[in-house]
Amino acid sequence: MKKILLTLVLSLLAARLPAAVNTPLQAREQRVNILAQEIKSTDALIERRIDLIVEKLSALVDSKESRAQISEIKKQTIEGLTKTMEQCQRRRAALVEEIRNPRLNLTTEQKQEIMSVLDTRIEKRIDQILTLQKSFPDASEAGKYRTGNTGYSNDWVAHKAAMHQNTRMLGQSDTLRRQVSDA
C-alpha cells in the first residue's frame, strides 16, 4: 500500500512540477524581454541626442567672443565619437572571432545581425565626424575678422584682436582637419 501511495504522490508531483517550473521561467523571460526593450529604447534616445548635438555643433562657429571654445568643443565631440566608433569596431572583431570559434549560445544569423547593426553604427559615427569636420572654418573665411587700420590706436587694438582670432581659428581648424584625415 505504501508503494502504491508513494507512486501516486510522485506521479502527481511530476505532473505539477513542469507547471511550477514554467511559471518562474516565464516570469524571468518576460522580465528579460522588458529589459531588452528598455535598452533598445534608451539606445535610440541616445542616438537621437547625439544626432541633435552634432547638428547643433556643426551650425556653430567661433567668434571673437568665444575665441576657440566652440572648436574645442567640436574637437572633444569628435574624440568621443571616435572612441564609440572604436568600441563598435572592437565588438565587431570579437563577433568575427566568435563566428570562427563559437563560445556563445548565439546562432550565426544572430551574430551576423549584430555585426550589421555595429557596421551601421560605425558608418553613422564616420558621417557625424565628417559633418563636424566640415563645419570648421577654412582659410577663405579667415578674412571676416580683418578690420581696417586707419592709424588710430583704437583701430590697431581692434585689428590686433581680429588678427589673433584669425590665427586661432586657422590654427585650430588646420589641426583638427589633420587629425580627422589621419584617423
Side-chain angles (χ1 to χ4, degrees):
M1 178 77 173
K2 284 186 177 183
K3 286 185 178 181
I4 295 174
L5 186 57
L6 184 61
T7 306
L8 182 62
V9 169
L10 287 177
S11 64
L12 287 173
L13 285 175
R16 291 185 181 190
L17 186 61
V21 171
N22 281 338
T23 304
L25 287 177
Q26 290 172 347
R28 285 184 183 168
E29 285 179 5
Q30 287 176 343
R31 281 185 276 178
V32 166
N33 290 336
I34 290 170
L35 287 174
Q37 289 300 323
E38 286 180 10
I39 289 171
K40 287 178 183 178
S41 65
T42 302
D43 181 59
L45 177 66
I46 290 169
E47 284 300 311
R48 284 193 302 271
R49 287 185 178 172
I50 290 173
D51 289 339
L52 182 64
I53 289 169
V54 168
E55 178 184 328
K56 297 288 184 183
L57 276 178
S58 64
L60 296 175
V61 292
D62 287 320
S63 66
K64 289 180 184 177
E65 292 80 28
S66 70
R67 298 185 175 222
Q69 291 175 349
I70 293 175
S71 292
E72 186 62 31
I73 292 170
K74 287 180 182 181
K75 179 182 172 186
Q76 292 171 355
T77 305
I78 287 173
E79 289 170 357
L81 291 171
T82 303
K83 286 179 185 178
T84 60
M85 185 178 64
E86 290 169 351
Q87 289 173 349
C88 289
Q89 289 171 335
R90 282 193 297 274
R91 288 184 200 147
R92 188 184 190 290
L95 281 172
V96 168
E97 182 61 31
E98 176 64 30
I99 289 173
R100 288 186 203 144
N101 302 320
R103 293 178 305 240
L104 299 176
N105 292 332
L106 296 174
T107 64
T108 304
E109 293 80 25
Q110 290 171 326
K111 293 173 189 174
Q112 295 286 342
E113 183 180 333
I114 294 170
M115 285 176 39
S116 172
V117 169
L118 290 173
D119 288 341
T120 304
R121 186 70 50 92
I122 291 168
E123 290 173 12
K124 186 175 183 179
R125 292 294 180 257
I126 290 171
D127 289 342
Q128 290 169 334
I129 290 169
L130 290 176
T131 299
L132 283 175
Q133 191 271 335
K134 288 177 186 175
S135 71
F136 287 110
D138 58 358
S140 65
E141 295 180 21
K144 68 181 179 183
Y145 293 108
R146 292 200 175 110
T147 59
N149 189 357
T150 61
Y152 295 108
S153 63
N154 289 341
D155 286 338
W156 177 250
V157 171
H159 181 70
K160 188 175 179 183
M163 183 179 68
H164 285 298
Q165 173 62 22
N166 187 13
T167 305
R168 275 193 300 269
M169 184 180 69
L170 288 177
Q172 187 79 356
S173 297
D174 291 342
T175 303
L176 292 172
R177 275 197 193 91
R178 268 188 261 114
Q179 288 175 351
V180 168
S181 64
D182 291 344

